[in-house]
DNA sequence: AATGAATGAGTTTTCATTCAT
DNA sequence: TATGAATGAAAACTCATTCAT
């Protein structure tokens, strides 16, 4: 049932894969930087270590990125666009209208897709979340390019389901926040806090999604909180 | 209904308020460090700025804390103990047994209390969450002294409610994770991402708790997930 | 005849000798910086060489001066004040009125004094002249604090002598420029271009002053320029 | 009256205009280098900025000039030859003999011509004067190829006028120095220190030349200084 | 001839930590 | 106990120069 969403998203992501323009060394720098930033945090990472891991001279980094911060931004900023890829599809709600009668099916499809995406880009996501609080321009970008963009597309959908009585009548922002928290909370535990523990990923994701879906479900809820 | 919990917690916290032993300068250093670490992150904070804000000489910091990292630990470690204060009460489950027949009441009482606590110690919580990923010893402490301790106390309670059919039969760790994620997600939005927005805190906390409670509620759930 | 001028100037200069406030290391840094800047020019001087010559750690320089440029300014700016010391004496023109009936005597006294001063502070003067063209703030300081201040005091004197028919009726700015050029030209030749040549300083200074004085003298000049 | 001098100078300069041998890119590099060196000084100029302004690749500069310093020399050295052009005319003194009975007329002709020349090549002159103190080989070249050459030609002329009692019996080197100082002093003020002020160039040049001429004039001077 | 990516030695600057007072 | 000057190792960044294309 969730196939179609995954399908357009895959196509979409490919169109974002513009790294073909980079030289091989630049790619190596980028990967090394992601590694080191994710491992030690931006401020505690040294360009000399990045250079070493990328097997280039330190000067080479500064030929491609004027400052260490620019290197950070060049990693984090594109991630924001990619993160919201499915939501900015031109026919986002149209497609949904046709295919997902139930909020649950829709949510499940999207969340599975985004959870999968986050999983695949974990180091960059980690860097992004770690650094947003310390770089106002990142925060602003995130609010503008992720928060607002996603809300803009998803609010009507949430409203529709709220009107149909499928999900609780709370502000759509809250719906988004609660959903994202649960997913990020899982990823954090799974990959940052306790990566060494054995995990049954499929089951955990199911549990998490159920939590979200029942947490937002309007059915079985007392008339007034 | 939640008064009793708050009451023991207050007493408990006072017993942890051991800052009385510190000199006034040491306290100023601690506060300045919390301020700066929360603002810029540990790695990007300089001891000289901390000294300046604390209005002490640079050397004075190192008289009280051998290294910058020790200063960090002296801030973060006690927070862990405080964070789990209510759970380590000797008669935790006993008290609960007596007072909270319904899972919901219990959860609400504890969550409100912890959310309030987190709110009041936001900078330190922020530092803790930011730095855990980069300091193995902090991570270990957190797992051992927070995660395990809380689980150890709360698992029996969760189990009880699960046996009674009040909450879904998922691993207690997951219950904890999902609850904590929702709360932290709120705090993050509220105080880090969008602090400038106007918030109706009481309502948001209610929404968040409802989300957790319904998300975990076993009632109204289809027989099999 | 020129004694009185030299006398107040000496006193004055002593009052400017505020270097007593500096630590010994700071003084060593300053002297080393003057040496190196004068030798190689500001841009071609490295802080590491300055540190070496001052026999301090490189970090020590930056404890006293936030940047290399601040170090430059701390050398050049005070020189400007000292350069114009005799002109800003409170009773500058009063004293002159009393003591110097003839323009020539006055000029000679001042010029000898300033030439002597410049000689004694040659490296700093050299740095100042070298760097002014490349640092707008230095240029502005020079114009405001040297050019204008000196003009302000000396214009009335020049005017007086012009009214008395002792010096040619050209703009006082030009009088100043022509006088300063001749002196600086001598110093440049004497200490920068051909320091290895044997010089009869007293005679050269005499020649230079005569040149200035006759060049500006109104007598023997055709009625109209 | 000054036409003849200007005439031979023009011819002379054309013979020096050997830039025809350069490729267009080389010329662009040269111009860019002059611009940047004059603006920031040699040591503070980067070859990459020069390349950018010349719209060539960084490597191209080093194809034409082995080092950055060679580029400097290729700019400054020819200027020295050009600077003394009128003096090295084969029939310098012969022509003068015939045409300029009075020292004043001669001096005025030459000075006007050189002042005009300096004005037209100000950036290079500026670079030359700025860099001579820091590059021994430039200094030597200047002394040998400018100082000595000019002296060699002009000393007999000056001597002649001194013998005729037209100019003061001071060392010819001093005559040259004093004259050059006054002119350079004017150019410095006019183009470096206060270029934004409104200047009546013709008048200033007149004033400056009068200053030189009267300053050197023997007439009206007391028998012995 | 021309390019421009790459280099690595060198630059300015920062900063945790020490220590004499 | 407190200070703050001093340190030196390491950081970010610059730049003249080289070289494969």
């Amino acid at each position: 049932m969730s196939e179609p969403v995954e399908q357009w998203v895959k196509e979409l992501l490919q169109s974002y894969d513009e790294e073909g323009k980079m030289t091989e060394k630049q790619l190596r720098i980028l990967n090394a930087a992601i590694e080191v930033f994710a491992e030690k945090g931006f401020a505690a990472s040294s360009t000399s270590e990045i250079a070493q891991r990328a097997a280039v001279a330190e000067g080479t980094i500064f030929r491609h990125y004027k400052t260490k911060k620019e290197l950070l931004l060049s990693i984090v900023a594109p991630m924001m666009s990619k993160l919201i890829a499915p939501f900015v599809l031109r026919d986002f709600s149209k497609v949904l209208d046709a295919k997902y009668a139930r909020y649950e099916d829709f949510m499940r499809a999207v969340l599975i897709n985004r959870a999968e995406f986050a999983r695949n880009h974990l180091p960059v996501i980690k860097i992004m979340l770690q650094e947003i609080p310390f770089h106002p321009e990142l925060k602003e970008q995130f609010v503008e390019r992720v928060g607002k963009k996603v809300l803009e597309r998803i609010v009507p959908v949430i409203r529709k389901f709220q009107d149909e009585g499928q999900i609780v009548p709370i502000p759509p922002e809250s719906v988004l926040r609660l959903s994202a928290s649960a997913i990020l909370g899982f990823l954090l535990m799974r990959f940052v806090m306790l990566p060494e523990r054995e995990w049954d990923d499929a089951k955990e994701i199911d549990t998490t999604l159920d939590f979200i879906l029942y947490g937002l479900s309007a059915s079985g809820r007392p008339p007034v909180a």
Side-chain angles (χ1 to χ4, degrees), chain A:
Chain A
M1 193 65 83
S2 69
E3 286 157 49
V5 173
E6 297 208 16
Q7 209 173 312
W8 13 279
V9 169
K10 257 176 208 159
E11 288 159 22
L12 189 71
L13 288 184
Q14 274 153 11
S15 78
Y16 270 90
D17 192 19
E18 290 170 342
E19 276 123 29
K21 288 171 193 165
M22 298 184 197
T23 84
E24 190 232 333
K25 290 205 177 187
Q26 194 168 352
L27 258 174
R28 276 197 339 246
I29 291 170
L30 226 43
N31 285 327
I34 290 171
E35 238 181 82
V36 180
F37 287 165
E39 228 168 76
K40 318 198 154 177
F42 174 72
S45 301
S46 82
T47 51
S48 94
E49 181 172 358
I50 294 169
Q52 233 170 298
R53 289 214 205 175
V56 300
E58 208 171 341
T60 307
I61 292 178
F62 291 93
R63 185 149 280 283
H64 291 287
Y65 306 92
K66 268 207 290 288
T67 62
K68 185 184 158 195
K69 179 139 185 195
E70 202 182 287
L71 176 55
L72 171 70
L73 297 181
S74 86
I75 287 168
V76 171
M79 178 48 57
M80 297 196 184
S81 309
K82 291 179 191 164
L83 203 56
I84 58 159
F87 303 101
V88 294
L89 280 178
R90 223 172 313 148
D91 47 4
F92 179 66
S93 51
K94 230 191 296 171
V95 173
L96 298 180
D97 263 359
K99 307 209 184 247
Y100 298 97
R102 290 191 314 156
Y103 158 69
E104 181 174 336
D105 296 339
F106 162 70
M107 253 341 200
R108 201 174 283 276
V110 172
L111 293 181
I112 284 180
N113 172 274
R114 286 301 84 188
E116 182 66 11
F117 173 80
R119 234 195 96 145
N120 292 334
H121 296 273
L122 213 77
V124 181
I125 305 257
K126 194 185 162 199
I127 295 168
M128 186 180 84
L129 295 177
Q130 286 282 350
E131 298 307 328
I132 279 177
F134 303 127
H135 305 270
E137 70 279 38
L138 274 185
K139 194 162 103 182
E140 201 199 346
Q141 268 186 52
F142 189 79
V143 170
E144 296 296 319
R145 295 174 45 187
V146 179
K148 288 197 180 162
K149 277 273 155 72
V150 171
L151 275 178
E152 182 176 289
R153 291 305 185 109
I154 216 170
V155 163
V157 180
I158 291 172
R159 286 257 157 77
K160 199 197 94 185
F161 289 122
Q162 286 178 327
D163 291 345
E164 290 174 8
Q166 291 194 40
I167 73 178
V168 284
I170 58 174
E173 286 92 338
S174 301
V175 173
L176 192 58
R177 164 169 62 80
L178 293 164
S179 308
S181 297
I183 292 175
L184 284 175
F186 164 61
L187 292 169
L188 218 76
M189 267 295 161
R190 172 65 183 84
F191 296 103
V192 180
M193 296 294 306
L194 299 168
E196 65 280 8
R197 173 171 302 185
E198 291 203 0
W199 291 82
D200 179 345
D201 284 346
K203 205 171 152 195
E204 289 290 347
I205 289 176
D206 250 28
T207 301
T208 306
L209 292 177
D210 279 348
F211 173 72
I212 296 172
L213 296 169
Y214 284 98
L216 296 174
S217 158
S219 72
R221 200 162 279 215
V224 175

PDB file of all heavy atoms in Angstrom, chain A residues 113-129:
ATOM      1  N   ASN A 113       8.779   5.919   5.178  1.00  0.00           N
ATOM      2  CA  ASN A 113       9.714   6.448   4.188  1.00  0.00           C
ATOM      3  C   ASN A 113      10.737   7.399   4.807  1.00  0.00           C
ATOM      4  O   ASN A 113      11.942   7.296   4.562  1.00  0.00           O
ATOM      5  CB  ASN A 113       8.926   7.167   3.091  1.00  0.00           C
ATOM      6  CG  ASN A 113       9.841   7.908   2.154  1.00  0.00           C
ATOM      7  OD1 ASN A 113      10.214   9.049   2.420  1.00  0.00           O
ATOM      8  ND2 ASN A 113      10.258   7.222   1.089  1.00  0.00           N
ATOM      9  N   ARG A 114      10.279   8.328   5.641  1.00  0.00           N
ATOM     10  CA  ARG A 114      11.209   9.288   6.234  1.00  0.00           C
ATOM     11  C   ARG A 114      12.136   8.637   7.270  1.00  0.00           C
ATOM     12  O   ARG A 114      13.292   9.009   7.413  1.00  0.00           O
ATOM     13  CB  ARG A 114      10.448  10.458   6.878  1.00  0.00           C
ATOM     14  CG  ARG A 114       9.852  11.454   5.877  1.00  0.00           C
ATOM     15  CD  ARG A 114      10.912  12.079   4.987  1.00  0.00           C
ATOM     16  NE  ARG A 114      11.241  11.249   3.824  1.00  0.00           N
ATOM     17  CZ  ARG A 114      12.229  11.506   2.993  1.00  0.00           C
ATOM     18  NH1 ARG A 114      12.999  12.557   3.166  1.00  0.00           N
ATOM     19  NH2 ARG A 114      12.482  10.698   1.980  1.00  0.00           N
ATOM     20  N   ALA A 115      11.589   7.666   7.977  1.00  0.00           N
ATOM     21  CA  ALA A 115      12.429   6.978   8.948  1.00  0.00           C
ATOM     22  C   ALA A 115      13.553   6.241   8.219  1.00  0.00           C
ATOM     23  O   ALA A 115      14.722   6.273   8.633  1.00  0.00           O
ATOM     24  CB  ALA A 115      11.604   6.009   9.774  1.00  0.00           C
ATOM     25  N   GLU A 116      13.174   5.639   7.129  1.00  0.00           N
ATOM     26  CA  GLU A 116      14.160   4.928   6.329  1.00  0.00           C
ATOM     27  C   GLU A 116      15.222   5.902   5.807  1.00  0.00           C
ATOM     28  O   GLU A 116      16.419   5.647   5.864  1.00  0.00           O
ATOM     29  CB  GLU A 116      13.451   4.235   5.143  1.00  0.00           C
ATOM     30  CG  GLU A 116      14.352   3.413   4.257  1.00  0.00           C
ATOM     31  CD  GLU A 116      14.930   2.202   4.974  1.00  0.00           C
ATOM     32  OE1 GLU A 116      14.455   1.905   6.094  1.00  0.00           O
ATOM     33  OE2 GLU A 116      15.878   1.595   4.442  1.00  0.00           O
ATOM     34  N   PHE A 117      14.734   7.026   5.327  1.00  0.00           N
ATOM     35  CA  PHE A 117      15.662   8.041   4.816  1.00  0.00           C
ATOM     36  C   PHE A 117      16.622   8.506   5.921  1.00  0.00           C
ATOM     37  O   PHE A 117      17.837   8.574   5.734  1.00  0.00           O
ATOM     38  CB  PHE A 117      14.871   9.240   4.281  1.00  0.00           C
ATOM     39  CG  PHE A 117      15.741  10.386   3.895  1.00  0.00           C
ATOM     40  CD1 PHE A 117      16.407  10.387   2.687  1.00  0.00           C
ATOM     41  CD2 PHE A 117      15.919  11.470   4.754  1.00  0.00           C
ATOM     42  CE1 PHE A 117      17.233  11.445   2.338  1.00  0.00           C
ATOM     43  CE2 PHE A 117      16.747  12.521   4.406  1.00  0.00           C
ATOM     44  CZ  PHE A 117      17.404  12.507   3.194  1.00  0.00           C
ATOM     45  N   ALA A 118      16.066   8.828   7.058  1.00  0.00           N
ATOM     46  CA  ALA A 118      16.893   9.306   8.169  1.00  0.00           C
ATOM     47  C   ALA A 118      17.941   8.254   8.535  1.00  0.00           C
ATOM     48  O   ALA A 118      19.104   8.583   8.775  1.00  0.00           O
ATOM     49  CB  ALA A 118      16.023   9.629   9.372  1.00  0.00           C
ATOM     50  N   ARG A 119      17.509   7.025   8.574  1.00  0.00           N
ATOM     51  CA  ARG A 119      18.424   5.921   8.872  1.00  0.00           C
ATOM     52  C   ARG A 119      19.607   5.887   7.930  1.00  0.00           C
ATOM     53  O   ARG A 119      20.744   5.644   8.328  1.00  0.00           O
ATOM     54  CB  ARG A 119      17.647   4.626   8.669  1.00  0.00           C
ATOM     55  CG  ARG A 119      17.661   3.701   9.805  1.00  0.00           C
ATOM     56  CD  ARG A 119      17.175   2.372   9.305  1.00  0.00           C
ATOM     57  NE  ARG A 119      18.317   1.553   8.980  1.00  0.00           N
ATOM     58  CZ  ARG A 119      18.344   0.235   9.162  1.00  0.00           C
ATOM     59  NH1 ARG A 119      17.286  -0.387   9.624  1.00  0.00           N
ATOM     60  NH2 ARG A 119      19.419  -0.434   8.859  1.00  0.00           N
ATOM     61  N   ASN A 120      19.305   6.159   6.676  1.00  0.00           N
ATOM     62  CA  ASN A 120      20.358   6.094   5.660  1.00  0.00           C
ATOM     63  C   ASN A 120      21.283   7.298   5.667  1.00  0.00           C
ATOM     64  O   ASN A 120      22.306   7.300   4.980  1.00  0.00           O
ATOM     65  CB  ASN A 120      19.734   5.957   4.267  1.00  0.00           C
ATOM     66  CG  ASN A 120      19.071   4.607   4.105  1.00  0.00           C
ATOM     67  OD1 ASN A 120      19.447   3.640   4.772  1.00  0.00           O
ATOM     68  ND2 ASN A 120      18.077   4.536   3.230  1.00  0.00           N
ATOM     69  N   HIS A 121      20.857   8.316   6.331  1.00  0.00           N
ATOM     70  CA  HIS A 121      21.681   9.534   6.338  1.00  0.00           C
ATOM     71  C   HIS A 121      21.965   9.945   7.763  1.00  0.00           C
ATOM     72  O   HIS A 121      22.088  11.129   8.064  1.00  0.00           O
ATOM     73  CB  HIS A 121      20.968  10.653   5.593  1.00  0.00           C
ATOM     74  CG  HIS A 121      20.774  10.356   4.147  1.00  0.00           C
ATOM     75  ND1 HIS A 121      21.723  10.645   3.197  1.00  0.00           N
ATOM     76  CD2 HIS A 121      19.777   9.739   3.481  1.00  0.00           C
ATOM     77  CE1 HIS A 121      21.293  10.256   2.009  1.00  0.00           C
ATOM     78  NE2 HIS A 121      20.106   9.690   2.144  1.00  0.00           N
ATOM     79  N   LEU A 122      22.054   8.958   8.608  1.00  0.00           N
ATOM     80  CA  LEU A 122      22.148   9.233  10.020  1.00  0.00           C
ATOM     81  C   LEU A 122      23.249  10.209  10.422  1.00  0.00           C
ATOM     82  O   LEU A 122      22.994  11.148  11.186  1.00  0.00           O
ATOM     83  CB  LEU A 122      22.305   7.937  10.801  1.00  0.00           C
ATOM     84  CG  LEU A 122      21.622   8.102  12.128  1.00  0.00           C
ATOM     85  CD1 LEU A 122      20.125   7.988  11.941  1.00  0.00           C
ATOM     86  CD2 LEU A 122      22.149   7.141  13.121  1.00  0.00           C
ATOM     87  N   PRO A 123      24.462  10.032   9.924  1.00  0.00           N
ATOM     88  CA  PRO A 123      25.504  10.959  10.396  1.00  0.00           C
ATOM     89  C   PRO A 123      25.167  12.402  10.083  1.00  0.00           C
ATOM     90  O   PRO A 123      25.330  13.280  10.938  1.00  0.00           O
ATOM     91  CB  PRO A 123      26.750  10.498   9.633  1.00  0.00           C
ATOM     92  CG  PRO A 123      26.474   9.074   9.282  1.00  0.00           C
ATOM     93  CD  PRO A 123      24.991   8.989   9.056  1.00  0.00           C
ATOM     94  N   VAL A 124      24.667  12.648   8.896  1.00  0.00           N
ATOM     95  CA  VAL A 124      24.350  14.037   8.555  1.00  0.00           C
ATOM     96  C   VAL A 124      23.180  14.544   9.384  1.00  0.00           C
ATOM     97  O   VAL A 124      23.189  15.685   9.857  1.00  0.00           O
ATOM     98  CB  VAL A 124      24.049  14.178   7.047  1.00  0.00           C
ATOM     99  CG1 VAL A 124      23.739  15.622   6.712  1.00  0.00           C
ATOM    100  CG2 VAL A 124      25.240  13.707   6.231  1.00  0.00           C
ATOM    101  N   ILE A 125      22.200  13.708   9.592  1.00  0.00           N
ATOM    102  CA  ILE A 125      21.073  14.103  10.440  1.00  0.00           C
ATOM    103  C   ILE A 125      21.579  14.436  11.844  1.00  0.00           C
ATOM    104  O   ILE A 125      21.175  15.428  12.452  1.00  0.00           O
ATOM    105  CB  ILE A 125      20.044  12.956  10.542  1.00  0.00           C
ATOM    106  CG1 ILE A 125      19.591  12.516   9.154  1.00  0.00           C
ATOM    107  CG2 ILE A 125      18.899  13.359  11.467  1.00  0.00           C
ATOM    108  CD1 ILE A 125      18.256  13.017   8.753  1.00  0.00           C
ATOM    109  N   LYS A 126      22.464  13.600  12.308  1.00  0.00           N
ATOM    110  CA  LYS A 126      23.014  13.836  13.636  1.00  0.00           C
ATOM    111  C   LYS A 126      23.730  15.194  13.683  1.00  0.00           C
ATOM    112  O   LYS A 126      23.509  15.993  14.597  1.00  0.00           O
ATOM    113  CB  LYS A 126      24.003  12.712  13.973  1.00  0.00           C
ATOM    114  CG  LYS A 126      24.385  12.674  15.432  1.00  0.00           C
ATOM    115  CD  LYS A 126      25.459  11.628  15.701  1.00  0.00           C
ATOM    116  CE  LYS A 126      26.129  11.890  17.043  1.00  0.00           C
ATOM    117  NZ  LYS A 126      27.421  11.221  17.174  1.00  0.00           N
ATOM    118  N   ILE A 127      24.568  15.431  12.704  1.00  0.00           N
ATOM    119  CA  ILE A 127      25.276  16.717  12.652  1.00  0.00           C
ATOM    120  C   ILE A 127      24.271  17.858  12.637  1.00  0.00           C
ATOM    121  O   ILE A 127      24.392  18.828  13.388  1.00  0.00           O
ATOM    122  CB  ILE A 127      26.187  16.786  11.404  1.00  0.00           C
ATOM    123  CG1 ILE A 127      27.300  15.741  11.503  1.00  0.00           C
ATOM    124  CG2 ILE A 127      26.775  18.176  11.243  1.00  0.00           C
ATOM    125  CD1 ILE A 127      28.066  15.542  10.201  1.00  0.00           C
ATOM    126  N   MET A 128      23.283  17.726  11.787  1.00  0.00           N
ATOM    127  CA  MET A 128      22.277  18.777  11.658  1.00  0.00           C
ATOM    128  C   MET A 128      21.631  19.067  13.009  1.00  0.00           C
ATOM    129  O   MET A 128      21.581  20.222  13.450  1.00  0.00           O
ATOM    130  CB  MET A 128      21.224  18.357  10.650  1.00  0.00           C
ATOM    131  CG  MET A 128      20.205  19.416  10.337  1.00  0.00           C
ATOM    132  SD  MET A 128      18.988  18.798   9.129  1.00  0.00           S
ATOM    133  CE  MET A 128      17.858  17.956  10.237  1.00  0.00           C
ATOM    134  N   LEU A 129      21.150  18.035  13.654  1.00  0.00           N
ATOM    135  CA  LEU A 129      20.458  18.245  14.933  1.00  0.00           C
ATOM    136  C   LEU A 129      21.404  18.779  16.001  1.00  0.00           C
ATOM    137  O   LEU A 129      21.030  19.616  16.824  1.00  0.00           O
ATOM    138  CB  LEU A 129      19.824  16.934  15.395  1.00  0.00           C
ATOM    139  CG  LEU A 129      18.712  16.433  14.469  1.00  0.00           C
ATOM    140  CD1 LEU A 129      18.170  15.099  14.953  1.00  0.00           C
ATOM    141  CD2 LEU A 129      17.583  17.464  14.385  1.00  0.00           C
TER     142      LEU A 129
END
